[in-house]
Amino acid sequence: MTSTSTWSIRPAHPDHPEAVALLRRYFDEMVRRYHGRPCRAGEVESAMADDPSGDLVAPTGLLLLAHRQDAPAGCAGLRLRPGWAELTRVYVEPGHRGRGGGAALLAAVEEHARTLGVDRIRLDTRSDLAEARALYARHGYAEIPAFNDGPYAEHWFEKTLRVDVGPSTR
């Protein structure tokens, strides 16, 4: 478990009730913001089915849940790819935003990635998610050319991680 001031972050299975609730709220916000209107019946479920989170478990990835003041307040996922990892599902509950949750989640994801031997994290995001793009840029993610053709991908980022390999054996 990682703890950053009032934030505690730990891995969870995507089927855990808190994870399910946070992922549902993540998808609800993504659908609402994309369409610029309230979600219609079935849209969130359809989005969740089209882009499932079941692979955010070992050995293919991980899902982290953030708690603030003992309440579930955010999540972030990491999908392991050959030679890199994909950051996904970064979400902080609206009532907890502006209190360091995004930074705490990024730090925890990067710590787990290093532990897994990952030295590069990539992500894609949309133009309407300006706050997310600013968060990534503030934390060392640089915009790069497209590395996928995701239907909602409009911006692509990458961060190279320093991976500690232990004492030198020269």
Side-chain angles (χ1 to χ4, degrees), residues 29-114:
E29 182 168 336
M30 293 304 101
V31 171
R32 278 187 295 106
R33 289 182 68 164
Y34 182 76
H35 292 295
R37 58 164 171 75
C39 294
R40 295 182 180 148
E43 282 183 322
V44 172
E45 293 78 9
S46 179
M48 291 178 79
D50 289 346
D51 191 9
S53 301
D55 61 340
L56 299 178
V57 296
T60 56
L62 71 110
L63 179 67
L64 299 177
L65 298 188
H67 288 76
R68 183 169 173 272
Q69 300 169 340
D70 296 324
C75 60
L78 193 68
R79 286 193 173 102
L80 301 177
R81 307 287 190 205
W84 55 284
E86 176 189 7
L87 179 64
T88 186
R89 309 289 192 271
V90 178
Y91 174 74
V92 175
E93 292 275 22
H96 295 279
R97 292 180 185 166
R99 293 175 172 86
L105 280 163
L106 289 180
V109 163
E110 292 168 11
E111 179 182 320
H112 281 275
R114 284 185 194 94

Side-chain angles (χ1 to χ4, degrees), residues 73-149:
C75 60
L78 193 68
R79 286 193 173 102
L80 301 177
R81 307 287 190 205
W84 55 284
E86 176 189 7
L87 179 64
T88 186
R89 309 289 192 271
V90 178
Y91 174 74
V92 175
E93 292 275 22
H96 295 279
R97 292 180 185 166
R99 293 175 172 86
L105 280 163
L106 289 180
V109 163
E110 292 168 11
E111 179 182 320
H112 281 275
R114 284 185 194 94
T115 300
L116 296 169
V118 172
D119 66 356
R120 193 167 31 128
I121 295 178
R122 291 179 170 177
L123 65 99
D124 65 63
T125 191
R126 302 186 326 225
S127 292
D128 63 310
L129 302 175
E131 308 92 335
R133 293 193 335 267
L135 173 73
Y136 302 135
R138 270 194 318 275
H139 291 277
Y141 289 79
E143 208 156 342
I144 61 170
F147 62 84
N148 66 21
D149 60 356

